[in-house]
């Protein structure tokens, strides 16, 4: 079992729809939870970052973390064609005594928002 | 502000050939990483470095070597390329204070025939 599971999709929605993207994980040591966005033939870029459980909102994007269920979500409101991309969840634990956290990525969900 | 720059962007190799991928960052980041991205597999960490002169193995290090002689550069070498190394390679960097945010290059598409 991979440490981070993510449904690869693809997901196709009309403009204006609410999009829900999800990941599950098995490692209870994960403390940091990120969502990266990757446009076609580009490198990933950080979209949202959350520490521990709870919600975080940034414009049309909301990230949720439920550590008790080992489940994280990204919601996109009023989706736009420009949101069409692959969304990768990522998680990090910081081993005791280590200065470097290790990022674990999901496989990514391909999203298309059509006009 | 260039960020993370990878060279080359595309390459086709024959089985058994060697090559070096170059990554350069201008953000003075301490940490640098090499990932490969394959369909259905996501991003997998090959090697990483926490500082000049130090490197460490990641999740899939076999068949690759790395060097970090200068803080701003991180080189990934393939000594004897195999078709299984056909992939898109991404370099990333992050600061020690904020290693949750990795900055990625634009990727190198490598095909081994």
């Amino acid at each position: 079992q991979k440490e981070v599971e993510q449904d690869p999709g693809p997901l196709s929605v009309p403009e204006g729809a609410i999009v829900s993207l999800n990941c599950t994980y098995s490692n209870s040591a994960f403390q940091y939870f990120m969502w990266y966005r990757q446009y076609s033939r580009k490198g990933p870029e950080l979209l949202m970052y959350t520490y521990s459980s709870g919600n975080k909102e940034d414009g049309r994007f909301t990230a949720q973390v439920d550590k008790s269920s080992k489940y994280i979500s990204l919601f996109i409101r009023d989706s736009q064609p420009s949101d069409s991309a692959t969304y990768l969840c990522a998680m990090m634990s910081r081993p005791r005594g280590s200065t470097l956290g290790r990022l674990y990525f999901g496989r990514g969900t391909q999203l298309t928002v059509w006009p | 502000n260039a960020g993370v720059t990878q060279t080359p962007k595309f390459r086709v190799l024959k089985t058994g050939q060697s090559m070096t991928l170059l990554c350069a960052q201008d953000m003075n980041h301490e940490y640098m990483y090499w990932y490969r991205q394959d369909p259905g597999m996501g991003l997998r960490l090959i090697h990483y470095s926490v500082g000049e002169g130090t490197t460490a193995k990641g999740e899939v290090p076999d068949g690759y070597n790395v060097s970090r002689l200068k803080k701003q550069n991180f080189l990934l070498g393939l000594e004897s390329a195999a078709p299984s190394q056909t992939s898109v390679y991404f370099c990333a960097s992050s600061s020690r204070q904020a290693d949750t945010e990795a900055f990625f290059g634009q990727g190198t598409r490598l095909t081994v025939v």
Side-chain angles (χ1 to χ4, degrees), chain A residues 3-46:
Chain A
E3 301 237 26
V4 180
E5 297 284 354
Q6 182 176 11
D7 186 339
L11 187 61
S12 181
V13 301
E15 183 175 356
I18 297 174
V19 176
S20 172
L21 304 168
N22 311 293
C23 288
T24 59
Y25 63 95
S26 56
N27 187 348
S28 58
F30 287 142
Q31 303 164 294
Y32 305 88
F33 304 90
M34 283 73 69
W35 286 95
Y36 281 78
R37 179 173 60 194
Q38 185 177 19
Y39 290 114
S40 180
R41 296 185 174 267
K42 300 289 186 183
E45 56 182 354
L46 183 67

Side-chain angles (χ1 to χ4, degrees), chain A residues 2 32 34 36 38 40-46 49 86 88 92 94 99-108, chain B residues 10 31 33 35 37 40-43 45 48 50 58-59 90 94 96 99-107 109:
Chain A
K2 281 179 65 68
Y32 305 88
M34 283 73 69
Y36 281 78
Q38 185 177 19
S40 180
R41 296 185 174 267
K42 300 289 186 183
E45 56 182 354
L46 183 67
Y49 151 69
T86 297
L88 301 102
M92 176 184 281
R94 202 179 300 282
T99 59
L100 175 67
R102 165 85 186 273
L103 273 174
Y104 293 83
F105 284 89
R107 293 185 293 172
Chain B
F10 305 92
Y31 302 153
Y33 319 82
Y35 291 90
Q37 187 174 40
M41 300 294 290
L43 283 162
L45 182 65
Y48 64 95
V50 298
E59 183 183 356
F90 286 100
S94 63
R96 182 169 35 218
D99 61 355
T100 51
E101 181 170 12
F103 291 81
F104 284 81
Q106 77 278 26
R109 292 183 173 273

Side-chain angles (χ1 to χ4, degrees), chain B residues 77-97:
Chain B
L78 286 73
E79 291 186 347
S80 180
S84 61
Q85 294 178 305
T86 293
S87 187
V88 181
Y89 291 86
F90 286 100
C91 176
S93 71
S94 63
S95 69
R96 182 169 35 218
Q97 293 79 11

